[in-house]
Amino acid sequence: MSRTANRAINKRSAACLAFALCTITTAVNLQAPLYDALAARDGLGVGATSIAFACYVVGIIPVLLGLNGLADRVGRKPLIMSALLLCLLATGITLIAPGLLALGIARFLLGISTGLTSAVAPAYMQLLLGGEDNRVATNYVTASTALGFGLGAAVTSLFVFHTPSVSPPSLWIYLAIASLALVVVTTLKDPAFSIKPTRFIRLEWLRHLRYLQLRGAVSALGEKTCAAQRYSTGSGDFADCLRVDRLGSGSRLSCGGTAGHGSSQ
């Protein structure tokens, strides 16, 4: 296949991914014009609306902070598909049971969806473009997501302005478009992803926990060794029996004046 044909295929794949990204971000603000109507329907005020709106942050932050390496384990296309499914679920919830509770759940799901998308979209776009200039991939991602964030609220506002409702036709239209986007994403290639043993939950305290466990094991070993020596010789003070000194990257166990070195001095 010629280079020109490959480039055309890459451009088409990038356009398909951009369509999916725009669809995902469109769902984020799709219900924004409905906040006041939903609050009035439930007899609640601005505070409850703000809490429902903040559920988006509760969903997106854990994904961004804790699941950065998930794409290295499962691939990039499954994450984009998962994001679209979450958007479909969130929109369906607001259609089935319109209210602030449903809105809060939907915002939480949309936060997770956006977090998954943000973690993989730039790299996936770059792979689909076949190693072109990074600025091209950045332009695709930026343009599609920016369009989506504004498009959802705009379309819903037009329908609500024409016919006020807590379930405007824009939600049903979105379900159809998101389903189409899901089908489009299934046709994309998923370039070989790294399957190196990446920790997808990168928490610093795990390293400290391992260090404490190792230190405890070394201390226990030293205590047993000292106890055995005291039992065999019948001498030695227990306070001086065990000493664990750090020597560089190793340790030294001393029992009653007899030392065993874990590393050379």
Side-chain angles (χ1 to χ4, degrees):
M1 189 177 295
S2 66
R3 183 176 180 179
T4 303
N6 282 330
R7 190 169 184 179
I9 293 175
N10 292 340
K11 290 285 187 180
R12 184 166 62 249
S13 298
C16 291
L17 179 58
F19 171 61
L21 296 179
C22 181
T23 304
I24 292 170
T25 53
T26 296
V28 174
N29 292 322
L30 190 64
Q31 299 90 359
L34 306 177
Y35 289 171
D36 292 339
L38 293 175
R41 178 190 179 95
D42 293 345
L44 300 174
V46 178
T49 305
S50 301
I51 293 174
F53 182 81
C55 289
Y56 176 82
V57 180
V58 178
I60 191 173
I61 288 181
V63 176
L64 292 178
L65 295 181
L67 301 179
N68 286 334
L70 187 59
D72 296 330
R73 293 175 174 265
V74 302
R76 296 169 178 84
K77 185 168 75 172
L79 295 185
I80 299 297
M81 295 178 64
S82 299
L84 283 168
L85 289 173
L86 288 174
C87 290
L88 284 167
L89 179 60
T91 306
I93 289 174
T94 55
L95 274 172
I96 295 173
L100 282 185
L101 177 60
L103 179 63
I105 297 174
R107 294 288 297 174
F108 175 74
L109 296 176
L110 291 171
I112 298 176
S113 173
T114 306
L116 293 175
T117 304
S118 301
V120 301
Y124 194 18
M125 184 67 74
Q126 181 64 27
L127 289 174
L128 291 178
L129 286 172
E132 288 193 19
D133 191 349
N134 290 338
R135 291 174 296 181
V136 177
T138 302
N139 291 338
Y140 269 99
V141 174
T142 302
S144 58
T145 53
L147 176 62
F149 280 123
L151 185 62
V155 173
T156 300
S157 296
L158 290 176
F159 281 103
V160 171
F161 179 77
H162 183 267
T163 306
S165 172
V166 294
S167 300
S170 58
L171 302 182
W172 294 103
I173 294 174
Y174 178 81
L175 291 179
I177 295 176
S179 299
L180 176 61
L182 187 61
V183 174
V184 169
V185 171
T186 59
T187 64
L188 296 178
K189 61 181 180 180
D190 193 5
F193 55 89
S194 173
I195 55 176
K196 58 185 178 181
T198 305
R199 296 178 304 169
F200 68 94
I201 300 181
R202 302 172 180 178
L203 300 176
E204 188 67 20
W205 61 268
L206 290 177
R207 187 177 67 176
H208 295 294
L209 179 61
R210 294 193 190 99
Y211 169 72
L212 292 176
Q213 291 174 340
L214 177 61
R215 184 175 180 180
V218 171
S219 299
L221 177 61
E223 184 177 349
K224 290 180 180 179
T225 304
C226 292
Q229 182 174 351
R230 292 179 65 231
Y231 178 79
S232 61
T233 61
S235 62
D237 184 15
F238 181 76
D240 297 330
C241 186
L242 174 62
R243 186 170 74 253
V244 180
D245 298 323
R246 298 186 62 184
L247 298 176
S249 59
S251 61
R252 179 176 63 188
L253 298 179
S254 300
C255 295
T258 304
H261 297 276
S263 64
S264 60
Q265 299 186 32

